[in-house]
Amino acid sequence: MQYINSFAKKHSYLFAVICILVTTALFVPGRYHFAKGQWALLYLLIIGLVSSFSGVRSAILAATLAFFCWNFFFLPPYDTLIVHDPKDWLSLFVFLVVAVIMGMQTGRMREREAQALAREREMAMLNQFSARLVSDTSISDIAELLMNEVMHITKADCSALFLSDQNNK
């Protein structure tokens, strides 16, 4: 699961294309056994999974690919983009609108979750840092801790901190 998640983050568009192509290949043998509208529901499930792993843009790509795959492979006449039945046109466009909206909402939810996790990590680091600052009593210990933290955050090789002489105040 971790491998899929990292692949989906790094290669989101490729992940969307692969998911739609693999599921289409799995669905095609059953196209004579199920009603043509049932395939749209299965594609919506895949689009939801793509958007939850890789975000909004890849979900829109997956919705568009699923739209064309459903038309090409699962609506008669098969293996063409021609649609004879007006009800199928309506179904196709409703599917596309629902798929895009669902993908966008799920993708946004995923992005908000990532932002919340990043804020949580930042707050944990700040809490640890402030607890260490409070526990140290001498100015030199606090200065050393501050320097180490600044170097860690900025990934600097060296740093300098100049302390004023408190006796001259």
Side-chain angles (χ1 to χ4, degrees), residues 86-102:
K87 294 176 195 169
D88 289 341
W89 276 113
L90 179 64
S91 297
L92 274 168
F93 286 109
V94 168
F95 167 78
L96 183 61
V97 169
V98 168
V100 167
I101 290 172
M102 184 190 74

Side-chain angles (χ1 to χ4, degrees), residues 48-163:
L49 290 173
V50 167
S51 64
S52 67
F53 277 111
S54 57
V56 173
R57 292 183 179 141
S58 58
I60 292 172
L61 175 64
T64 306
L65 289 175
F67 169 84
F68 285 113
C69 287
W70 184 35
N71 183 2
F72 192 82
F73 292 108
F74 300 104
L75 294 178
Y78 297 123
D79 303 328
T80 67
L81 292 176
I82 298 169
V83 178
H84 291 297
D85 189 359
K87 294 176 195 169
D88 289 341
W89 276 113
L90 179 64
S91 297
L92 274 168
F93 286 109
V94 168
F95 167 78
L96 183 61
V97 169
V98 168
V100 167
I101 290 172
M102 184 190 74
M104 288 175 63
Q105 293 296 354
T106 307
R108 285 182 186 148
M109 184 175 61
R110 178 193 164 280
E111 291 167 358
R112 284 188 208 123
E113 177 190 14
Q115 290 171 351
L117 288 173
R119 283 193 302 267
E120 181 182 353
R121 283 191 298 270
E122 290 171 3
M123 290 304 297
M125 286 176 28
L126 282 172
N127 285 338
Q128 289 174 352
F129 179 66
S130 62
R132 283 185 277 160
L133 276 177
V134 171
S135 67
D136 289 333
T137 55
S138 72
I139 292 179
S140 62
D141 289 343
I142 292 174
E144 184 178 342
L145 177 64
L146 182 62
M147 292 300 299
N148 290 336
E149 233 13 75
V150 167
M151 288 178 61
H152 175 72
I153 290 171
T154 61
K155 296 178 177 61
D157 293 329
C158 63
S159 62
L161 177 66
F162 297 101
L163 299 175

